[in-house]
Amino acid sequence: MTTDTLPARKDAPRTSPGRRRGLRLPKGLRAGRQHHAGPATYVLLAVAAVLSLFPLYWTMVAASTDNTRVTQTPPPFLPGPHLWENLGKAWQDAALGKAMLNSLIVAGTIAVSTVLFATLAGFAFAKLRFKGRNVLLMLVIGTMMVPPQLAVVPLFMMMTDLGWGQKLPAVIFPTLVSAVGVFFMRQYLADALPDELVEAGRVDGAHSLRIFWSIVLPVARPAMAVLFMITFVHAWNDFFWPFIVLDMTNPTVPVALTQLSAGYVRDQSLIMAGALLGTLPLLAMFVVFGRQIVGGIMQGAVKG
């Protein structure tokens, strides 16, 4: 008997019908395959990067020249020799040292409180069962539709009655939590936090705050990092309400920068130098914490 006539072994590996017929799976369905970007993708990313960085580059160029050169046509596109001179003058004329300290206190306090309260409220709306939950959530979302300008007069009167006029608490307390943050955390926890984890905590005898501390916070860390960054940047750049309740003796950075344009003839290079100084803390913060934030987003995007 030849080998061609031997019966096939039962434990012999079987080839799939697709392989026997000469069929091949699409590239996107093959296990272990990595997707590589093509040249067009890199070109689009490069264009997007250039367009995103150009305003910052133009601010630096304008801050390094004098006012006469900035207003010429065509404007300069290369840095000039007056950068450090304009930065020092803007720092002194606008009293940016105290303004940056005030902005750091205001933005940091608002960001921390917003992340904490929004995560607590988001957990309650997403996973706890209580009467009126949907009604309260609709009320929170409804506040997002009210223009903030409508609340300026009563809010200013309230801050004056509390004795907080021209003080930082008048800027901090009205924005300790935001409806956007509550809705954002509620949507994230509704999908990222399994109900089984909460029920397991209940079975082990943990109360709601213990579950929040031991279960919810580790799961919500990526969304909390994103919310902190967004809230901090928004509070740092906020101009409307701080300009109303604060004066030039106790300003934040956006309010202090108005001093640079108070003259009869505006020095555009000096204004750009002040804007560049006001942007540097945000850039430094993103350089330090950007990798952790992006890593947290990627970690939260991976389903277990």
Side-chain angles (χ1 to χ4, degrees):
M1 180 180 295
T2 62
T3 57
D4 295 336
T5 60
L6 290 177
R9 294 175 56 185
K10 294 183 179 180
D11 57 347
R14 299 180 179 179
T15 55
S16 62
R19 185 174 297 274
R20 288 199 307 265
R21 298 172 185 173
L23 299 178
R24 300 182 63 184
L25 294 176
K27 293 183 178 180
L29 299 179
R30 297 177 189 174
R33 298 284 297 183
Q34 294 182 355
H35 298 277
H36 298 280
T41 303
Y42 288 106
V43 171
L44 291 177
L45 290 176
V47 172
V50 170
L51 293 178
S52 300
L53 294 176
F54 181 76
L56 181 62
Y57 175 76
W58 166 248
T59 301
M60 185 190 68
V61 170
S64 63
T65 58
D66 53 20
N67 191 42
T68 303
R69 183 69 183 94
V70 171
T71 56
Q72 289 180 353
T73 302
F77 290 99
L78 295 177
H82 304 289
L83 178 61
W84 299 110
E85 177 185 352
N86 290 336
L87 291 178
K89 188 176 180 181
W91 181 275
Q92 182 178 2
D93 292 354
L96 286 179
K98 184 177 182 179
M100 284 193 177
L101 179 60
N102 289 341
S103 289
L104 183 61
I105 295 173
V106 170
T109 304
I110 292 175
V112 171
S113 65
T114 298
V115 169
L116 176 61
F117 293 137
T119 306
L120 280 167
F123 166 61
F125 284 126
K127 297 301 177 179
L128 299 184
R129 300 294 181 264
F130 55 90
K131 292 182 179 180
R133 183 185 65 169
N134 295 331
V135 175
L136 290 176
L137 180 61
M138 290 298 103
L139 290 176
V140 171
I141 297 176
T143 60
M144 299 167 55
M145 305 177 186
V146 179
Q149 292 80 3
L150 296 180
V152 168
V153 174
L155 193 59
F156 182 83
M157 296 174 61
M158 185 185 300
M159 296 298 106
T160 303
D161 293 339
L162 292 174
W164 289 347
Q166 314 302 330
K167 297 180 181 179
L168 296 183
V171 181
I172 295 174
F173 277 87
T175 52
L176 284 178
V177 67
S178 65
V180 176
V182 172
F183 182 73
F184 174 74
M185 294 304 302
R186 188 265 176 193
Q187 294 300 107
Y188 180 85
L189 291 175
D191 295 332
L193 180 62
D195 295 336
E196 291 77 9
L197 288 179
V198 179
E199 295 300 329
R202 296 291 188 192
V203 172
D204 291 339
H207 51 79
S208 297
L209 290 180
R210 179 64 178 177
I211 293 174
F212 176 79
W213 181 262
S214 301
I215 299 177
V216 177
L217 287 183
V219 174
R221 190 180 305 168
M224 293 170 64
V226 175
L227 182 60
F228 180 88
M229 173 67 81
I230 295 175
T231 306
F232 187 92
V233 173
H234 181 269
W236 182 278
N237 294 328
D238 189 19
F239 173 76
F240 180 69
W241 178 243
F243 182 74
I244 294 176
V245 296
L246 299 178
D247 58 10
M248 293 303 169
T249 62
N250 195 32
T252 57
V253 170
V255 177
L257 291 180
T258 59
Q259 285 289 95
L260 301 178
S261 59
Y264 182 76
V265 178
R266 296 182 178 180
D267 193 337
Q268 299 294 336
S269 61
L270 198 61
I271 295 175
M272 290 298 181
L276 183 61
L277 287 173
T279 307
L280 289 180
L282 298 179
L283 295 178
M285 178 180 175
F286 185 79
V287 169
V288 174
F289 299 106
R291 179 170 298 179
Q292 288 78 4
I293 292 175
V294 174
I297 296 174
M298 298 303 297
Q299 180 181 358
V302 177
K303 299 298 182 180

